[in-house]
Amino acid sequence: MTRPALAALAVLLIGCNQPQGTGPNKHVPSDMPSKTAPEPAPAPAPEPEGPPVRKDGTIYAETQQMGTRVSINVHVGERKPAEAGAAIEAAFAEIERIEQIMSEWRPSSELSQLNDGAGGPLRPLSAELFEVLQRSKEIAQATGGAFDPTFYGVGQLWKYDPGSRPPTREAILEKLPLVDWRSIELDATTRSGRLAKPGMKMGLGAIAKGYAVDRASTVLRERGFPDHIVEGGGDTFVSGTKGGKTWMVGIQRPDGPGSVAAIPARDRAVVTSGDYQRFIEFEGVRYSHILDPRTGFPVPEERSLQSITILAPNATEADAYATAVAVLGADAGLEFIQSHPGLDAALITHSGELRVTPELAKILVYPQDKQPAPSQPAPSPPAP
């Protein structure tokens, strides 16, 4: 795990690794009678207390991973707090493992090595990376390239640090031919893959985070904690219930603190992203961090959305579809979501209009049971 994660868990799991009591182990020679009564066995060490349990029966922990805040909330139930703490620690460790495989920012990652070998022969891939690349190709095809992990060939030109300026049009057009999801070649027989064109690069930030959230949820269930929420930078998977009560996931207001509405969720992913979180302004023009892979430029203002919330069976797909809808825009994005069973969406346009798919509209919980007008600020619903 990363040092911040370990530091957070050091506080979370205090008391979980108390030293075990030991006692003397004396032996009396067999040819000599014992003149003293045998010493009593040492008292068993007290069981570790584990992290504190909140009033609602949950244990909460958070840390920094994958360049964002990651949190886990577990309903303990009849299990011991120490066991829940160990399960949370294992889930964070799983996220760290996935990051080491799929981060384009780590030169030693498996993805970086695959990028470095672009144009070369097929190379063996881990099961996790092969799965994510396979699903990436499927979603890229389904969305007409609105989601495309090879965008990074152009995406690496864009910087969003304070004072950054956009790349030149010439630089973008030079790299644009390298953006082509069809050039991700995979061989399921040998579980190998390659990037066909020299200079191609993939960035999995729009799908790997969701995959890591799914994997962390799987670890928690394998450890005997089926009731939990895992959230990483807006990518959330909700599993089970909170002591029989439905978990509630808020849709964050893009213009300030609080939530526009809340979504009752169980065994479903809820992923929210938007262009309000990361952007630069240069010579009076606002450039979002969400790029259209088909042009190499940020999604234009007239088509961009303040906030995109996607519901899907898993966070991997929800993460990728959120990016695709951001590129497609409100009309085409909603049409796409409604044509795919199992998906739902809540979109907030730049004018403040909240647009929701019909099935989600049936369950969405608004403050005071009343949908706020687009121009009115919505108070935050009660915390789940």
Side-chain angles (χ1 to χ4, degrees):
M1 296 178 66
T2 59
R3 290 187 177 180
L6 290 173
L9 287 168
V11 176
L12 170 69
L13 303 176
I14 187 168
C16 290
N17 295 305
Q18 296 178 359
Q20 301 294 314
T22 57
N25 186 18
K26 297 181 179 179
H27 297 273
V28 177
S30 58
D31 59 345
M32 294 180 63
S34 173
K35 296 182 179 181
T36 59
E39 293 188 10
E47 292 187 3
E49 296 179 1
V53 180
R54 302 192 297 182
K55 292 182 179 179
D56 63 357
T58 65
I59 290 176
Y60 176 88
E62 67 176 52
T63 187
Q64 289 287 321
Q65 290 180 291
M66 303 191 84
T68 190
R69 182 186 66 86
V70 178
S71 68
I72 295 177
N73 197 16
V74 171
H75 189 265
V76 180
E78 300 300 321
R79 302 291 299 276
K80 297 176 182 178
E83 294 173 332
I88 292 172
E89 183 177 12
F92 281 138
E94 179 69 0
I95 293 175
E96 165 64 21
R97 189 180 71 85
I98 297 301
E99 183 175 9
Q100 180 54 38
I101 293 172
M102 302 185 190
S103 172
E104 64 266 30
W105 303 102
R106 295 187 178 186
S108 62
S109 74
E110 185 180 355
L111 178 64
S112 293
Q113 294 172 17
L114 183 62
N115 284 341
D116 291 343
L122 290 167
R123 58 187 299 149
L125 300 177
S126 65
E128 293 87 352
L129 184 57
F130 188 90
E131 178 184 355
V132 168
L133 293 182
Q134 197 167 45
R135 294 170 84 173
S136 294
K137 290 193 67 173
E138 293 168 356
I139 295 172
Q141 182 175 16
T143 60
F147 168 81
D148 188 337
T150 66
F151 85 96
Y152 196 54
V154 167
Q156 62 183 334
L157 300 176
W158 291 87
K159 308 298 180 185
Y160 294 91
D161 302 319
S164 297
R165 56 193 301 167
T168 65
R169 177 174 293 273
E170 291 74 20
I172 292 172
L173 294 177
E174 180 183 354
K175 294 290 186 180
L176 196 57
L178 299 176
V179 180
D180 181 9
W181 61 268
R182 298 173 187 82
S183 295
I184 304 173
E185 297 183 358
L186 301 173
D187 185 338
T189 304
T190 58
R191 205 177 72 196
S192 58
R194 74 177 192 126
L195 296 174
K197 301 176 184 178
M200 287 186 72
K201 288 188 181 297
M202 286 187 293
L204 298 178
I207 191 170
K209 185 151 54 77
Y211 182 80
V213 165
D214 286 336
R215 284 297 311 153
S217 177
T218 297
V219 167
L220 292 171
R221 286 193 296 274
E222 290 174 346
R223 294 281 184 131
F225 292 91
D227 301 317
H228 59 261
I229 293 181
V230 181
E231 187 269 336
D235 290 10
T236 304
F237 188 81
V238 181
S239 179
T241 64
K242 184 170 61 173
K245 298 180 180 179
T246 301
W247 296 101
M248 302 292 286
V249 181
I251 301 175
Q252 182 180 340
R253 287 181 55 186
D255 58 349
S259 300
V260 173
I263 301 171
R266 176 175 180 174
D267 300 328
R268 203 173 189 190
V270 182
V271 169
T272 297
S273 64
D275 69 357
Y276 61 92
Q277 296 177 322
R278 191 167 168 232
F279 60 90
I280 57 172
E281 292 186 0
F282 181 73
E283 295 182 348
V285 179
R286 186 176 183 274
Y287 297 92
S288 164
H289 77 286
I290 300 175
L291 299 183
D292 186 336
R294 302 166 298 186
T295 67
F297 285 88
V299 175
E301 185 98 11
E302 64 271 14
R303 199 172 76 236
S304 64
L305 296 160
Q306 288 193 71
S307 175
I308 304 101
T309 297
I310 302 296
L311 281 71
N314 57 73
T316 306
E317 293 179 3
D319 195 6
Y321 285 132
T323 297
V325 170
V327 171
L328 293 170
D331 292 336
L334 285 173
E335 182 180 353
F336 175 85
I337 293 297
Q338 291 183 66
S339 67
H340 288 73
L343 301 181
D344 279 296
L347 312 180
I348 302 176
T349 68
H350 265 284
S351 65
E353 180 187 8
L354 176 63
R355 301 183 62 179
V356 185
T357 50
E359 290 302 312
L360 180 56
K362 296 176 183 178
I363 64 171
L364 207 58
V365 178
Y366 297 98
Q368 301 175 353
D369 297 324
K370 181 179 179 182
Q371 180 175 355
S375 60
Q376 296 176 341
S380 175

